[in-house]
Amino acid sequence: MTGARRRTRARAGLAGLVAWLGLGVAAPAWASPASPPAGIIGGTTTAVGQYPTVVGLTVSNNLCTGTLIAPSWVLTAAHCVDPDVLGMTSQDQVTAAVRVHFDTVDVVNDLGTLVGAAATYKDPLFNKSRLGANDIGLIQLATPVTTVEPSPINISATMAPVGTVVTIVGYGSTEKGAQGSIGIEYELRNRMSVSCPSLGIGNDTNLLCFSQADDRGTCQGDSGGPAFAMVAGRQTVVGVTSFGDQQCADYGADTRVDVEQSFLVQHVPELIGCLGDKDCPAHRMCFAHTCMAQPFSPSGLGAVCETAADCDSSICAVSSQDGKRCSLTCSPSDSQSCPGGFECLKSGSSPVGGCWPEAGGGCCDIGGPGSPGTALLGLAAVALGLRRRRR
């Protein structure tokens, strides 16, 4: 990475960071009045290097968050780079004003390593007057960053169903009503997505939605920041912070990355991942565009495990009949959300399940469908109790 590293105390030029990008964005028809794009409330401060791909974005006096997803590309929200939202006359003017802050967790007091932009793009279908879809944007860096391994993005909806547990990272406000500190990186772990219609804010195809009734969640300044989930053993971007209610008290919504695949791949084709097993190293297979250990191989799905660290997927599940085995989160309503030879076992009333060897196949016979001894007692990574579907 190149770029001049500069340190400064809060200066008049950065005082404008408290003016967040949601200002002036009209409320969607299905939300309460003045519902803005969404900073992190109830989170924990991070340390430099803890999330090296997560960056602060300043565009003139506006603040957003982004994620490095390729050496020359940062993922953010469309409204963070939209000239109309920013009050600028052209996309070129936005590009000239962008500063990407690496290696800092406090963009007000430590600018970190600054990298400019060569180009900025918003999804052309984004409509600032109707949030809920297409709020995705890209920043092409003027100088590639080669000292940080980019974060992978999720391109398969089945890998991030409703009920997915995520870690949210951002530089936004730390108190309701856009109060508290701003410009400091916070993390918020163990947030489970809920049905968007249950919150009255759109649909689950386009969004990952989170209740903030427990006084934790996103707020002004976190726009464009990542929601990370474990996918095939890697911390993967599944959502991009988009909007929330005016006081940051009721809900927050993220644009699903998987539904924006065509826009992202148009600009960054290398994001597609593997297309088949031939694209993966030896002893690994391609599933949902991700290379992962072969089933029943050491660390692969179905392999015996003691802890999550033993599994390529970082999930060690326990069965009442045949002990602990490596698993993978899945959607019980989608028969394609597990590799061949595995089925998605339901977890009580939760919409998230776990991949488990099909009865009579793979490593062992765990009983016929619906047999009384086939309950999974839990998944180490997400603490779910799973039960075999009755047919």
Side-chain angles (χ1 to χ4, degrees):
M1 182 193 306
T2 63
R5 185 171 182 83
R6 297 159 55 195
R7 296 179 182 272
T8 180
R9 299 306 297 171
R11 302 177 304 171
L14 282 179
L17 290 178
V18 298
W20 60 292
L21 286 174
L23 225 52
V25 177
W30 36 257
S32 57
S35 178
I40 290 186
I41 300 169
T44 304
T45 54
T46 65
V48 174
Q50 187 174 348
Y51 294 99
T53 63
V54 181
V55 297
L57 302 176
T58 51
V59 188
S60 187
N61 285 331
N62 299 288
L63 173 69
C64 269
T65 304
T67 310
L68 185 75
I69 57 171
S72 293
W73 295 93
V74 167
L75 177 70
T76 190
H79 71 261
C80 291
V81 293
D82 186 340
D84 289 340
V85 174
L86 296 169
M88 296 183 178
T89 59
S90 68
Q91 199 67 56
D92 286 343
Q93 187 180 7
V94 173
T95 299
V98 167
R99 296 295 180 268
V100 183
H101 301 252
F102 288 87
D103 305 323
T104 180
V105 294
D106 184 349
V107 298
V108 174
N109 296 308
D110 178 1
L111 298 183
T113 302
L114 292 177
V115 181
T120 53
Y121 303 92
K122 65 172 184 174
D123 188 320
L125 298 178
F126 172 68
N127 185 341
K128 70 176 185 179
S129 298
R130 185 171 178 81
L131 300 176
N134 309 115
D135 191 6
I136 203 87
L138 288 166
I139 297 171
Q140 184 177 17
L141 299 176
T143 304
V145 174
T146 59
T147 57
V148 176
E149 182 179 359
S151 291
I153 67 167
N154 179 48
I155 53 177
S156 173
T158 61
M159 306 303 281
V162 173
T164 295
V165 177
V166 305
T167 295
I168 301 171
V169 186
Y171 286 83
S173 300
T174 56
E175 296 179 12
K176 292 180 182 179
Q179 302 301 307
S181 65
I182 194 168
I184 300 174
E185 185 181 83
Y186 278 75
E187 64 171 357
L188 186 57
R189 299 188 180 190
N190 299 318
R191 302 304 288 172
M192 181 178 287
S193 68
V194 300
S195 168
C196 296
S198 73
L199 298 174
I201 53 170
N203 66 72
D204 297 325
T205 300
N206 296 324
L207 300 172
L208 285 173
C209 298
F210 304 90
S211 171
Q212 300 193 176
D214 61 352
D215 297 329
R216 300 200 303 161
T218 54
C219 198
Q220 290 89 328
D222 282 334
S223 290
F228 289 117
M230 293 302 295
V231 176
R234 300 186 68 191
Q235 192 177 61
T236 301
V237 182
V238 296
V240 171
T241 300
S242 178
F243 65 94
D245 65 281
Q246 183 69 48
Q247 296 301 313
C248 312
D250 298 327
Y251 63 83
D254 282 23
T255 300
R256 294 185 63 101
V257 176
D258 56 84
V259 79
E260 296 293 335
Q261 181 180 156
S262 59
F263 165 74
L264 295 173
V265 172
Q266 174 188 353
H267 296 284
V268 198
E270 61 265 35
L271 294 177
I272 193 67
C274 60
L275 297 177
D277 292 350
K278 62 181 177 57
D279 298 326
C280 298
H283 309 300
R284 298 182 75 80
M285 61 175 282
C286 181
F287 177 68
H289 298 288
T290 300
C291 291
M292 58 191 299
Q294 291 281 354
F296 307 114
S297 67
S299 81
L301 295 185
V304 174
C305 58
E306 288 298 326
T307 68
D310 297 329
C311 302
D312 189 57
S313 63
S314 295
I315 297 175
C316 182
V318 57
S319 163
S320 59
Q321 190 165 55
D322 66 334
K324 296 180 178 180
R325 297 192 178 277
C326 295
S327 185
L328 185 71
T329 54
C330 55
S331 173
S333 63
D334 185 351
S335 61
Q336 303 300 309
S337 61
C338 291
F342 291 79
E343 64 176 322
C344 188
L345 303 190
K346 201 173 184 329
S347 172
S349 60
S350 171
V352 176
C355 295
W356 200 252
E358 289 182 340
C363 67
C364 48
D365 186 345
I366 58 175
S371 62
T374 59
L376 291 193
L377 303 181
L379 296 181
V382 292
L384 299 177
L386 304 181
R387 185 181 305 276
R388 185 173 296 282
R389 295 190 302 269
R390 294 187 179 274
R391 297 174 180 171

